Amino acid sequence: MTGRAIPAAPVIIGQMDAPAIIPKKNGGFNAAAHGLRGLAAVFVMLAHIIGGTAEHIYPHVKSYVQWVRYPWNFGTFGVEIFFVISGYVILQSALKYNLKEFGLRRFVRIYPLFFVLSLLFIALNFVTNAYKELNNVETIVSGLLFINLFTGTEQLTPNAWSLSYEACFYVLTALIVTFAYKRRNMLLGALAVMLAIAFLIAFPITVYFLIGVAMRLLAADEKTATPATWGMELVSFVLMVASASQTHLGYTAWDQFGTPAVPMILLSITAYFYFALRPGSLTSRALGGQPFRYFGDVSYSLYLVHPFPYFLMRMIFVKMGWFTGNIPLSMTAFGTAVVSTSLVATHFIYRTLERGPYEAMFHQRIYHDKRRKAAAS
């Protein structure tokens, strides 16, 4: 996106010099990771469109349910892609800023949008009572505080379940970096590491976040791509898509890792990100253009916003009888309606509730790409 230039905010490192594992190139911005962030949000939206209709509109059409199973599985896998990107990005941020600055930036980055959409959901659910189990004080308070993982209640806003994990990732990463690395406090550092291990044991999906952290520690984005790595990147991508399409897992228990597809999923996604994050990779070339940069910019808003247009459009299509026996035509019309309304709503909400508060507080863009700035100047 283009717009007025915003002066950069001061960088606060903490008690040590900038750690060597912070990449020096382009201020840490990675075109592949940014594009994948947008692509993952699109995958999740499309998965809800085809999967939601398979589950609620055409469950009796076995051929349709069977046909959409594989793209549906891979679409929901977009959340795990988000977690890998988060681990890759958040470690750098925790190293770059002190504990207070890191926490403030994370809060302003995600909470205003989350809070407003949560209030919208609470109000709609109070009126319709569509989800009776969520209409209670404990669930609402736990959801708003991101502690629902520990209270055993559900998150409120559709898709916001992943934000509860993200919030825990942020806290644990910041504590480990601050006390174990920057301050070298053996007691508090060891306690932070133990908390992280306990969280990993309790919530196995954390493995994907750790894959992203590993990519940052390996500084994969500082190794230039070559024709040989292009081949390995392509092969690992194909394997990732194929294996992730086989099954849908919540990774809520360690015994799920015994599912035959999971070892290949973990191996292929690790290999793929290792090669894709390099400058000149196939992924950075494919996703480095303006359209995917825009989707990367608005990915968080799109991820949280699209369930609302989806449910509204589904209700309208059901009421008007527009889900017919001609499934290709019905789904084309429905998908077009959901995607178009989601993108319009996303653009407005991104500028007002996501980008607006962050720029007002820190006087810089959320995603600061020096190359994009130079090209615009």
Side-chain angles (χ1 to χ4, degrees):
M1 297 181 68
T2 59
R4 62 183 178 85
I6 301 174
V11 174
I12 302 175
I13 299 298
Q15 297 187 8
M16 299 183 63
D17 293 334
I21 59 176
I22 298 179
K24 305 300 181 185
K25 297 183 179 181
N26 198 32
F29 181 87
N30 186 286
H34 193 66
L36 284 168
R37 182 188 282 116
L39 197 60
V42 173
F43 283 160
V44 172
M45 176 175 63
L46 295 179
H48 286 158
I49 292 172
I50 63 173
T53 50
E55 185 175 5
H56 299 287
I57 305 299
Y58 296 115
H60 57 286
V61 184
K62 303 302 181 183
S63 58
Y64 175 71
V65 174
Q66 181 65 22
W67 183 82
V68 303
R69 180 166 66 94
Y70 299 106
W72 184 5
N73 286 339
F74 185 72
T76 55
F77 183 71
V79 176
E80 279 73 51
I81 294 177
F82 271 128
F83 284 167
V84 175
I85 297 172
S86 181
Y88 169 77
V89 171
I90 293 306
L91 177 60
Q92 180 195 24
S93 184
L95 287 163
K96 186 176 182 180
Y97 303 109
N98 67 24
L99 189 59
K100 179 180 178 181
E101 179 84 354
F102 173 84
L104 181 61
R105 283 177 177 270
R106 286 293 93 196
F107 179 83
V108 176
R109 173 72 179 84
I110 69 170
Y111 202 78
L113 172 58
F114 163 77
F115 182 69
V116 171
L117 291 183
S118 293
L119 291 184
L120 175 61
F121 176 84
I122 292 168
L124 291 174
N125 198 38
F126 180 78
V127 172
T128 64
N129 204 31
Y131 300 92
K132 299 178 182 179
E133 69 279 6
L134 304 184
N135 265 333
N136 61 80
V137 174
E138 180 185 8
T139 298
I140 292 173
V141 172
S142 298
L144 292 176
L145 295 179
F146 293 133
I147 59 173
N148 56 288
L149 293 176
F150 309 106
T151 60
T153 55
E154 296 290 330
Q155 251 297 357
L156 304 171
T157 308
N159 278 359
W161 66 269
S162 64
L163 293 186
S164 295
Y165 289 101
E166 291 277 2
C168 292
F169 297 162
Y170 300 160
V171 171
L172 292 170
T173 302
L175 291 177
I176 291 174
V177 169
T178 299
F179 296 113
Y181 183 72
K182 291 182 179 179
R183 300 183 184 178
R184 306 297 173 92
N185 186 310
M186 293 185 62
L187 178 60
L188 294 180
L191 180 59
V193 171
M194 290 172 61
L195 286 174
I197 293 173
F199 188 82
L200 171 63
I201 293 172
F203 304 105
I205 201 170
T206 307
V207 165
Y208 286 99
F209 183 79
L210 293 179
I211 291 173
V213 171
M215 294 301 101
R216 175 61 68 184
L217 293 174
L218 291 171
D221 60 339
E222 291 190 333
K223 301 176 177 65
T224 303
T226 66
T229 62
W230 291 343
M232 290 183 281
E233 177 187 358
L234 182 59
V235 169
S236 58
F237 175 76
V238 171
L239 290 175
M240 179 182 70
V241 173
S243 55
S245 300
Q246 297 301 310
T247 184
H248 170 62
L249 296 171
Y251 298 95
T252 54
W254 282 100
D255 58 7
Q256 293 181 344
F257 284 75
T259 303
V262 172
M264 181 56 68
I265 292 173
L266 295 176
L267 178 63
S268 59
I269 195 173
T270 301
Y272 171 65
F273 269 89
Y274 182 71
F275 296 117
L277 294 175
R278 301 178 180 215
S281 68
L282 295 177
T283 302
S284 64
R285 289 167 180 257
L287 305 184
Q290 185 60 32
F292 282 105
R293 291 202 175 202
Y294 173 75
F295 280 112
D297 287 346
V298 305
S299 57
Y300 174 52
S301 292
L302 178 60
Y303 178 70
L304 287 188
V305 167
H306 81 263
F308 292 95
Y310 164 78
F311 282 113
L312 176 61
M313 288 297 108
R314 197 178 80 183
M315 182 179 66
I316 292 174
F317 269 62
V318 169
K319 186 175 181 63
M320 300 300 295
W322 290 342
F323 285 118
T324 68
N326 189 336
I327 296 179
L329 180 62
S330 297
M331 287 304 302
T332 298
F334 179 63
T336 301
V338 173
V339 170
S340 58
T341 53
S342 294
L343 292 180
V344 171
T346 292
H347 185 76
F348 170 76
I349 289 175
Y350 164 73
R351 296 181 68 90
T352 56
L353 296 178
E354 183 181 355
R355 192 175 108 175
Y358 193 90
E359 291 183 354
M361 175 70 71
F362 301 110
H363 306 292
Q364 69 176 150
R365 292 198 183 281
I366 296 174
Y367 302 113
H368 190 57
D369 180 8
K370 292 181 180 178
R371 286 174 295 186
R372 174 162 51 180
K373 181 180 178 181
S377 62

